[in-house]
């Protein structure tokens, strides 16, 4: 049975997740078109992929720390942290799926089961579906105020410090770039869906949310004071089953990671 967690995310600082629309040195928020209240409207939002990527990095880094495991293969890093890459295999193996390795990954690496990955010539779909963060607003009939009230512009500066490209007496150039943001206090509707999860997977998701609570950032430029959030989802699972599983299966998990390193 699928499990869905629906809740709200509140921006505690400015939030930005850039889209494809840029005008000179300005970067606008991503937008999605809705049909609501009898008309089409474009609503800025934070992509579910931003949240998913954040959770993936938190979960995989935490796993490696608990195992005291050091990655020595760049492709394993891609498998864990960025969804992997499909690689060319020999003609005789092109249609072959390594079911034994696939079974081991699904059995011993709940984080990969949650997020999915690509290994060699095979793709493993993830069980975690992350929704977009959609602002509560008047246009969608979910709030009192227009979405435009929750938008603002801010800026950063960047200095050219490449001395080799300047004359001896030439001053460093300072570049100003602006970007659109959601203001602090913006509330977003959001949801997570887990597809046919078992108890370990549910607990692994609960652990992810506790990691996010301890490092509550999403979107761009957290290093300069942006992207901090708080969230409210009712009845999230706890981490106990997952953490106990990792502690009991350390040796098996480590061996699976080593096997992946040899084959990717």
């Amino acid at each position: 049975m699928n499990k869905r967690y629906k809740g709200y995310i509140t921006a505690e600082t400015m939030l930005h997740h850039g889209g494809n629309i840029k005008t000179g040195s300005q970067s606008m928020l991503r937008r999605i078109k809705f049909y609501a209240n009898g008309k089409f409207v474009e609503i800025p939002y934070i992509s579910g992929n931003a949240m998913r990527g954040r959770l993936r990095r938190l979960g995989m880094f935490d796993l490696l720390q608990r195992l005291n495991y050091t990655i020595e293969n760049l492709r394993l890093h891609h498998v864990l942290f960025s969804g992997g890459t499909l690689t060319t295999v020999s003609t005789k193996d092109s249609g072959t799926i390594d079911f034994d390795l696939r079974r081991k990954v699904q059995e011993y690496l709940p984080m990969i089961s949650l997020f999915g990955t690509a290994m060699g010539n095979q793709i493993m779909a993830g069980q975690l579906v992350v929704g977009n963060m959609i602002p509560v607003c008047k246009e969608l009939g979910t709030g009192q105020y227009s979405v435009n009230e929750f938008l603002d512009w801010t800026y950063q500066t960047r200095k050219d410090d490449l001395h080799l490209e300047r004359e001896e007496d030439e001053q460093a150039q300072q570049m100003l770039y602006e970007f659109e943001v959601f203001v602090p206090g913006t509330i977003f509707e959001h949801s997570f869906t887990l597809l046919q999860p078992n108890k370990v997977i549910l607990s692994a998701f609960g652990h992810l949310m506790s990691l996010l609570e301890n490092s509550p950032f999403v979107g761009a430029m957290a290093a300069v004071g942006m992207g901090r959030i708080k969230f409210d989802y009712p009845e999230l699972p706890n981490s106990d089953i997952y953490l106990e599983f990792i502690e009991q299966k350390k040796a098996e998990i480590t061996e699976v990671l080593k096997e992946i390193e040899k084959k990717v």
Side-chain angles (χ1 to χ4, degrees):
M1 166 181 278
N2 296 342
K3 187 73 174 176
R4 189 166 188 243
Y5 298 93
K6 186 176 180 180
Y8 294 93
I9 295 173
T10 302
E12 293 196 315
T13 62
M14 293 183 292
L15 293 186
H16 176 75
H17 187 209
N20 294 325
I21 301 176
K22 289 182 173 64
T23 56
S25 61
Q26 293 183 330
S27 177
M28 297 179 68
L29 288 163
R30 293 181 177 221
R31 279 167 166 75
I32 188 171
K33 183 179 285 188
F34 284 88
Y35 180 73
N37 300 319
K39 60 182 180 180
F40 290 99
V41 290
E42 285 196 344
I43 302 295
Y45 72 107
I46 304 293
S47 167
N49 195 49
M51 174 67 79
R52 200 172 194 274
R54 174 66 176 159
L55 289 175
R56 182 177 197 125
R57 291 187 292 274
L58 287 172
M60 297 303 180
F61 184 73
D62 175 79
L63 173 64
L64 294 176
Q65 279 193 316
R66 291 179 183 280
L67 297 174
N68 195 26
Y69 191 96
T70 302
I71 294 179
E72 298 179 356
N73 182 327
L74 181 59
R75 286 183 175 174
L76 176 59
H77 185 277
H78 290 325
V79 166
L80 297 179
F81 287 92
S82 59
T85 54
L86 290 173
T87 55
T88 303
V89 297
S90 63
T91 303
K92 67 181 180 65
D93 294 328
S94 61
T96 302
I97 301 296
D98 190 337
F99 285 107
D100 183 56
L101 178 57
R102 192 182 185 96
R103 176 190 60 77
K104 290 177 183 177
V105 169
Q106 291 173 331
E107 182 176 354
Y108 293 113
L109 290 168
M111 286 298 168
I112 289 185
S113 293
L114 275 170
F115 293 103
T117 196
M119 299 184 300
N121 65 334
Q122 58 183 311
I123 296 175
M124 293 181 60
Q127 293 177 253
L128 178 61
V129 178
V130 184
N132 294 324
M133 291 169 53
I134 306 297
V136 172
C137 59
K138 185 176 181 179
E139 286 83 351
L140 298 179
T142 55
Q144 180 181 359
Y145 300 104
S146 167
V147 69
N148 296 316
E149 297 293 327
F150 299 103
L151 305 180
D152 201 357
W153 287 86
T154 189
Y155 69 92
Q156 293 286 333
T157 57
R158 182 178 295 151
K159 184 176 286 188
D160 166 27
D161 288 324
L162 298 177
H163 299 280
L164 295 178
E165 296 185 4
R166 298 201 309 269
E167 298 295 333
E168 185 175 346
D169 59 347
E170 185 180 356
Q171 297 297 311
Q173 298 295 313
Q174 192 171 58
M175 183 179 73
L176 175 72
Y177 58 100
E178 296 180 290
F179 44 94
E180 191 179 29
V181 295
F182 288 106
V183 301
T186 304
I187 299 174
F188 302 85
E189 290 186 323
H190 188 252
S191 69
F192 295 100
T193 303
L194 289 102
L195 307 176
Q196 305 294 322
N198 59 30
K199 290 182 180 181
V200 176
I201 295 295
L202 276 175
S203 182
F205 170 69
H207 185 57
L208 282 174
M209 297 306 289
S210 67
L211 293 173
L212 182 64
E213 187 173 18
N214 289 329
S215 184
F217 299 93
V218 69
M221 290 176 277
V224 291
M226 294 179 59
R228 186 178 182 90
I229 61 171
K230 62 180 179 180
F231 55 82
D232 180 24
Y233 300 89
E235 300 180 359
L236 287 172
N238 64 47
S239 305
D240 295 349
I241 294 175
Y242 172 74
L243 295 179
E244 184 178 350
F245 175 87
I246 297 299
E247 189 63 31
Q248 292 179 349
K249 303 292 183 180
K250 276 186 177 180
E252 292 90 338
I253 296 168
T254 299
E255 286 305 310
V256 175
L257 289 173
K258 289 180 178 177
E259 187 174 346
I260 295 173
E261 281 200 279
K262 291 177 183 178
K263 293 190 176 184
V264 296

